[in-house]
Amino acid sequence: MRGIINDCLRTIIGWTIRLAGLLLILRQRFRVLFFRINQKRLKLKYRITNHTPVSSYNSQPLQSAATKELRFAETSGSTGAPKRIAYTKQRLLSLRITFSDMFVRACYAFRIKRTCLYVFSSFETDASLSSLLLNENGLPNYLCTLQAAYRIQHLAAIRTLVSKYGATAVRLWILAISNPGVLYSTNPSTISIFLDELANDWTRSSKLVRDWCNGRTTFDSDVHRIARRLQSRHCNWRLKQIATSDVPLPLSACAPAVEAYICWTGGYVKPFLDRLATHLPPSRYRLIPMYSMSTETVETLPHFRGQDISFFSIAPGVYYEFIDDSETLLNPQELEPGKLYAMIVSDAYGLRRYQTDDLFLCRRKVNGLPDLVFVRRRSLQYSFTGEKLTAEQLSVVFERLREMYPALLAGKFLTCVPSQPANALPHYQMLVIGDQHTESAHELLAARCDELLREMNCEYRSKRASGRLGPVRSMDLGTREFAAAVAEPNWETQFKFLPLTLHPLLSNFLTHVS
């Protein structure tokens, strides 16, 4: 009976969300219509003139804010030392509203039947912006728990379950009881690894459900209270199916209401998206791309026309400019389809012509505005001795390797890390990240990668020929092993997978194992 009552309330919440989605879509169309006027107003407000210089993080007062309740979010540090970005309560609330606005509009645009959401957030707090956004004290109110089951994950009772059974087992338990309609993860790798662990280690992943079904009285009263909050129709039947199955069950059996998932699709995450598609076939599950944002600012927001998605640079309170190869400053209306542009932003939180270092492809023009897709970091490069190896070059090399060895690299993520052991020449280490190891192909992959880099970068070829650089080496790392190597226990909310990784802890780790 409790599950039926909860689902009736979830249905009412869903009607409210879809109605709000229609109203918010209409509001955004007005924002698009008055975009130019609003940008002119923001330019005057932030005092941006022809003489205002373009600045980087090092010279930008990002941490300026006058408040006693100031909090700081750290970037992942994937390209060096983490940045600390100041956040007030108002600024965090603005970002929560931005995400909710996107989600509500998506529910209306894609006719999502069951709008309750499960976020693959970390069970532990960290210094990331995601952790700040999800941080709250105490048990959320009843209706919030019905709509967003993940909001109970910070509670002590849940963390105790995680320490005993593991994150995957607790997530399976929550999903089976609450049966959400939409999944969200910033990194698609987080959902992919969860589903991989269900398939590869079913016994451990389903142990919490088995113990729950076989002896509920042994669990703490707070766990029972949480379970009652999350109950949905037929949840006991689903739990029993999981508990009595000797083989891994698909998500469609554990949480049959799931019909869509939202995650980041830009940049370098295609291997994880491909892997996700094997678990969540497109014929049943809809992928809704996440908008682009950095810890410093929101960069784009989705615009829905029916089920067609465009991404516009229209975040509230942000003044946008772009530069092309000639370093000419352009406003969004001047961008041309098929070309790459670096984004420059100004806002009320201290950014003035801030160089985000993110490159976007203008796919097309929609209502006079550019449809922008994140492509890569602009200045991600490394040089031991003048070779200036870039992420763009590595992306091309990795794509060639995938074409040469599709079976060997299927579902794998590739990254390159500068390594300089004490008793060896400096060299680049190619990491093949995934659960299936490729030890027998290490020499082949390393040699082919080295050959392609010599073709791609003439300075690299010269330094290799002169003996100033050693050949590329290759090694396997599991995804969690990779995260542990960079001391990121909560990597789900923080770490970015890049073709060139300059994380100092990872470089130190490779120096010790080389």
Side-chain angles (χ1 to χ4, degrees):
M1 180 60 69
R2 172 71 69 127
I4 294 174
I5 294 172
N6 284 351
D7 274 359
C8 287
L9 291 173
R10 287 184 176 107
T11 299
I12 295 172
I13 292 171
W15 290 340
T16 305
I17 285 176
R18 284 187 290 272
L19 176 59
L22 172 60
L23 298 176
L24 291 176
I25 282 176
L26 293 175
R27 186 188 72 164
Q28 193 188 53
R29 289 178 181 173
F30 277 103
R31 288 178 56 203
V32 170
L33 185 63
F34 292 101
F35 175 77
R36 294 190 184 189
I37 296 174
N38 189 49
Q39 287 287 286
K40 289 180 181 179
R41 179 184 65 83
L42 291 174
K43 184 177 182 179
L44 291 173
K45 179 180 179 181
Y46 302 144
R47 299 178 181 179
I48 305 299
T49 70
N50 293 336
H51 303 293
T52 303
V54 175
S55 305
S56 64
Y57 170 75
N58 291 331
S59 58
Q60 198 71 21
L62 297 179
Q63 301 181 19
S64 60
T67 175
K68 295 180 180 179
E69 299 181 352
L70 191 65
R71 304 183 68 182
F72 289 92
E74 290 189 1
T75 60
S76 66
S78 302
T79 58
K83 307 171 188 175
R84 296 182 74 241
I85 312 301
Y87 273 86
T88 61
K89 280 188 175 181
Q90 181 182 1
R91 192 178 185 186
L92 286 171
L93 177 61
S94 175
L95 285 185
R96 292 189 184 103
I97 292 173
T98 296
F99 178 85
S100 298
D101 171 81
M102 176 279 299
F103 176 74
V104 169
R105 288 188 293 112
C107 285
Y108 176 82
F110 294 103
R111 303 294 188 265
I112 301 296
K113 296 176 183 177
R114 190 174 175 88
T115 60
C116 42
L117 173 70
Y118 180 78
V119 174
F120 281 74
S121 58
S122 174
F123 288 94
E124 301 294 336
T125 57
D126 55 34
S128 69
L129 177 58
S130 297
S131 185
L132 286 184
L133 290 170
L134 294 170
N135 185 48
E136 58 185 322
N137 297 316
L139 184 65
N141 71 61
Y142 192 73
L143 293 180
C144 287
T145 308
L146 292 178
Q147 168 59 25
Y150 65 91
R151 291 181 61 177
I152 53 88
Q153 292 185 171
H154 71 283
L155 298 176
I158 296 297
R159 293 187 180 186
T160 299
L161 292 179
V162 172
S163 65
K164 181 176 180 180
Y165 294 99
T168 297
V170 175
R171 281 179 172 144
L172 176 62
W173 182 75
I174 294 173
L175 287 171
I177 295 177
S178 63
N179 195 24
V182 184
L183 307 179
Y184 169 82
S185 171
T186 302
N187 290 332
S189 55
T190 309
I191 306 178
S192 174
I193 291 167
F194 166 75
L195 296 172
D196 282 341
E197 290 186 356
L198 289 185
N200 298 328
D201 194 358
W202 177 252
T203 300
R204 184 171 185 269
S205 300
S206 60
K207 181 169 173 45
L208 170 56
V209 174
R210 290 198 306 276
D211 288 355
W212 177 258
C213 291
N214 296 331
R216 297 192 185 191
T217 57
T218 62
F219 286 84
D220 187 84
S221 60
D222 287 339
V223 177
H224 284 272
R225 183 186 180 193
I226 291 168
R228 288 194 297 271
R229 285 273 191 113
L230 301 182
Q231 275 185 8
S232 59
R233 278 179 291 189
H234 310 304
C235 66
N236 289 329
W237 179 77
R238 290 192 299 275
L239 290 167
K240 185 177 180 180
Q241 265 196 319
I242 294 169
T244 57
S245 178
D246 294 327
V247 297
L249 295 180
L251 185 66
S252 57
C254 302
V258 174
E259 59 180 295
Y261 60 103
I262 303 171
C263 66
W264 172 242
T265 60
Y268 317 104
V269 297
K270 187 176 184 301
F272 292 108
L273 294 174
D274 292 342
R275 181 64 178 161
L276 260 181
T278 64
H279 291 295
L280 305 174
S283 58
R284 178 184 172 101
Y285 299 96
R286 176 179 293 278
L287 167 60
I288 302 175
M290 179 64 177
Y291 56 86
S292 297
M293 70 172 293
S294 64
T295 306
E296 295 90 334
T297 187
V298 177
E299 296 177 318
T300 65
L301 287 176
H303 178 72
F304 301 109
R305 295 184 304 163
Q307 297 189 2
D308 180 43
I309 307 178
S310 304
F311 290 94
F312 294 160
S313 52
I314 56 171
V318 181
Y319 177 66
Y320 293 95
E321 296 171 286
F322 296 84
I323 54 174
D324 55 15
D325 290 337
S326 65
E327 300 293 314
T328 302
L329 276 168
L330 305 167
N331 65 49
Q333 294 84 3
E334 295 176 303
L335 273 54
E336 299 179 19
K339 293 187 177 182
L340 289 174
Y341 299 92
M343 182 179 285
I344 310 293
V345 296
S346 304
D347 66 12
Y349 302 103
L351 298 175
R352 296 190 73 227
R353 279 200 170 151
Y354 172 69
Q355 165 64 272
T356 66
D357 252 0
D358 289 338
L359 277 181
F360 289 84
L361 170 68
C362 176
R363 291 193 300 186
R364 55 183 175 170
K365 287 289 195 67
V366 179
N367 295 334
L369 295 181
D371 178 12
L372 300 171
V373 178
F374 174 82
V375 177
R376 64 177 185 270
R377 296 285 294 175
R378 186 182 188 224
S379 59
L380 185 55
Q381 68 177 31
Y382 191 82
S383 184
F384 279 114
T385 178
E387 71 277 9
K388 295 182 180 178
L389 187 64
T390 68
E392 182 178 7
Q393 292 168 346
L394 285 164
S395 294
V396 174
V397 168
F398 290 161
E399 192 60 35
R400 291 277 301 277
L401 288 174
R402 292 186 187 283
E403 292 172 359
M404 294 176 179
Y405 310 105
L408 194 61
L409 297 177
K412 303 283 188 177
F413 180 79
L414 302 178
T415 189
C416 191
V417 185
S419 182
Q420 192 166 15
N423 300 318
L425 286 173
H427 61 275
Y428 290 92
Q429 187 97 29
M430 183 176 70
L431 302 184
V432 183
I433 302 167
D435 295 327
Q436 303 299 321
H437 293 302
T438 58
E439 287 94 341
S440 59
H442 279 177
E443 291 186 8
L444 172 64
L445 290 172
R448 191 66 70 193
C449 179
D450 192 72
E451 177 185 331
L452 292 171
L453 286 177
R454 280 180 278 153
E455 292 178 8
M456 179 71 58
N457 184 318
C458 62
E459 289 295 330
Y460 180 87
R461 181 171 63 249
S462 172
K463 302 306 185 288
R464 283 282 292 109
S466 66
R468 295 167 70 181
L469 279 179
V472 171
R473 300 183 185 181
S474 174
M475 68 180 293
D476 280 313
L477 278 182
T479 309
R480 292 193 179 278
E481 186 183 7
F482 176 60
V486 294
E488 296 284 1
N490 303 317
W491 66 272
E492 297 100 326
T493 62
Q494 184 68 305
F495 199 80
K496 297 180 179 67
F497 293 95
L498 302 171
L500 178 59
T501 302
L502 307 181
H503 199 295
L505 291 176
L506 186 56
S507 298
N508 291 337
F509 169 78
L510 292 177
T511 298
H512 291 308
V513 300
S514 295

